[in-house]
Amino acid sequence: MVVLLKLAPPLRQTLLRLILAGLLFWSSIAAMLPTLPLYIAQKGSTPHQVGFVMGAFAVGLLGSRSWLGPLADRRGRKITLLIGLAVAAIAPLFYILSHNLPLLIAVRLLHGVSIAGFTTGYMALVTDIAPPQHRGEIIGYTSLVHPIGVALGPSLGSWLQMHYGHDWVFIVASTLAALGCMAAAGVRAVNRAQESGELPAETTLFWRLLLSERLRIPSLVMLSVGLTFGTIATFIPLFMAAEQLGVSPGLFYSVAAIASFIGRVLTGAASDRWGRGIFISASLAAYVVSMVLLAQAQTPLDVLWAAILEGLAGGVLIPMVAALMADRSTPQERGRVLSLSLGGFDLGMALAGPLLGGLVEHWGYRVIFRMGAVFSLLGLAFFLTASSKSLPDSLRFALGMGRDRYAL
């Protein structure tokens, strides 16, 4: 935390406003995690249909990144941040008015834009501000808003649903995001892309960046993890209700968020010294073990251990990939690069619900958690063998024994 105090006062004030906005944003999103799948099911949807609705969120995410990333580079980070918060404030209110499957899918698509806008603007602002030698540490600290929000939100959402019903979950989620929008309105930061003069030609070739060697493997890793996380986000509430293992969905998400908080605190500064590779590899391995535990869970303790490992994995992986992509990009293209790499995660989330929802009806929830383990294992294999310019370089980087040869 000392490094934050060393920043110039205007930059420090910007970070504090960002942190407050982030806490409110993620609390809003997370309040609906344990309740929305149940709300959709109560409308008469099958598990397969619940998967389609939940997956539509990530479709909206993925589709909007193609214009929000370039917008962050062209018009500044703040505008994308505010778009994300404004959508997060509006979308929950539409759930109340949605009484059939097509309307729920439409609202879920719209809601997906919120995370695309917020995460692109937030991460680009933070990486613009952070000195390169402390980039991992500052990203680690400022990303704590996610686990804190995800720790508070599910418990709040479950409590509201139990005592006041689903409508109040949506009203409170909308209010939290609106307060976050007010906090972010005062953000002032230097737009590094505009400082640097003319933007590169790739501004109009957003998706072509995926062909870049520095971006391809991190995006594939994020795709594999998105498939795993999408499985958890969509099916954990239904799995808990079906198996009755003595753990509420809200408790699962809260325990995972606390573990995520611990992982981010411990690894941010360490990655500035030892590189991002070893932490990305370790987080992917933790995802594999977490999914295996869920697939075999018989007791509340099994489920809680899976939540701890999933939280540690996600808490380390996403900030590390963000730091890795900041290392590998110039300020002029950073909005697009971050947007694309995180877009792999979005695509995985979009596919997980529809892809696996149909399997639940035939094979049950435990089989799809085993598939989640396979997805993460594939991501680990990609990273170990192709994260650098050759196989030996990739292994050294992924195991913390060599530098990132794509870093600028």
Side-chain angles (χ1 to χ4, degrees), residues 3 123 127 130-143 262-283 315-327 383 397-404 407:
V3 67
M123 294 307 302
T127 52
Q133 68 272 24
H134 296 295
R135 182 174 285 149
E137 184 176 3
I138 289 180
I139 289 176
Y141 287 141
T142 53
S143 70
I262 294 169
R264 291 169 197 245
V265 169
L266 295 179
T267 58
S271 75
D272 290 325
R273 295 194 300 273
W274 301 330
R276 323 297 183 195
I278 184 63
F279 297 102
I280 293 174
S281 299
S283 62
V316 173
L317 180 73
I318 293 174
M320 284 302 109
V321 171
L324 179 72
M325 298 322 301
D327 295 342
F383 193 70
F397 173 60
L399 297 175
M401 297 183 290
R403 67 182 183 85
D404 180 11

Side-chain angles (χ1 to χ4, degrees), residues 272-342:
D272 290 325
R273 295 194 300 273
W274 301 330
R276 323 297 183 195
I278 184 63
F279 297 102
I280 293 174
S281 299
S283 62
L284 289 166
Y287 261 124
V288 174
V289 178
S290 172
M291 293 299 98
V292 171
L293 278 174
L294 271 179
Q296 299 175 348
Q298 300 295 332
T299 67
L301 191 60
D302 294 337
V303 176
L304 293 177
W305 272 114
I308 289 168
L309 286 171
E310 191 276 327
L312 284 171
V316 173
L317 180 73
I318 293 174
M320 284 302 109
V321 171
L324 179 72
M325 298 322 301
D327 295 342
R328 293 181 174 190
S329 61
T330 64
Q332 301 100 305
E333 62 179 355
R334 190 162 290 147
R336 285 164 292 148
V337 167
L338 287 169
S339 191
L340 267 176
S341 58
L342 294 173

Side-chain angles (χ1 to χ4, degrees), residues 8-181:
L11 297 182
R12 188 164 62 245
Q13 185 181 47
T14 289
L15 282 180
L16 290 175
R17 286 183 177 275
L18 283 171
I19 288 167
L20 177 58
L23 286 171
L24 292 163
F25 175 82
W26 288 115
S27 295
S28 167
I29 295 293
M32 292 176 283
L33 277 177
T35 60
L36 189 56
L38 301 175
Y39 176 75
I40 298 165
Q42 284 179 13
K43 297 292 183 183
S45 300
T46 66
H48 196 190
Q49 290 171 329
V50 171
F52 266 104
V53 176
M54 296 300 287
F57 184 85
V59 174
L61 246 170
L62 185 65
S64 58
R65 285 202 188 276
S66 63
W67 59 272
L68 285 167
L71 183 68
D73 288 331
R74 190 175 64 251
R75 297 284 303 277
R77 324 306 194 189
K78 182 177 174 179
I79 189 170
T80 59
L81 185 79
L82 291 174
I83 288 171
L85 285 159
V87 173
I90 294 166
L93 300 178
F94 285 109
Y95 288 114
I96 300 172
L97 305 174
S98 302
H99 301 296
N100 57 55
L101 195 66
L103 281 175
L104 285 167
I105 290 173
V107 176
R108 199 70 181 144
L109 281 165
L110 171 66
H111 206 174
V113 177
S114 65
I115 289 188
F118 182 84
T119 55
T120 299
Y122 188 91
M123 294 307 302
L125 275 166
V126 169
T127 52
D128 283 348
I129 291 169
Q133 68 272 24
H134 296 295
R135 182 174 285 149
E137 184 176 3
I138 289 180
I139 289 176
Y141 287 141
T142 53
S143 70
L144 292 175
V145 297
H146 179 270
I148 295 172
V150 174
L152 298 174
S155 298
L156 174 62
S158 294
W159 182 82
L160 287 167
Q161 190 275 329
M162 187 180 302
H163 291 90
Y164 300 103
H166 286 289
D167 286 2
W168 274 100
V169 177
F170 300 133
I171 291 168
V172 170
S174 174
T175 302
L176 289 170
L179 291 172
C181 200

Side-chain angles (χ1 to χ4, degrees), residues 370-392:
R370 292 190 185 101
M371 293 182 70
V374 172
F375 295 144
S376 293
L377 189 61
L378 286 172
L380 179 59
F382 291 145
F383 193 70
L384 286 171
T385 58
S387 58
S388 193
K389 295 187 176 183
S390 66
L391 177 59

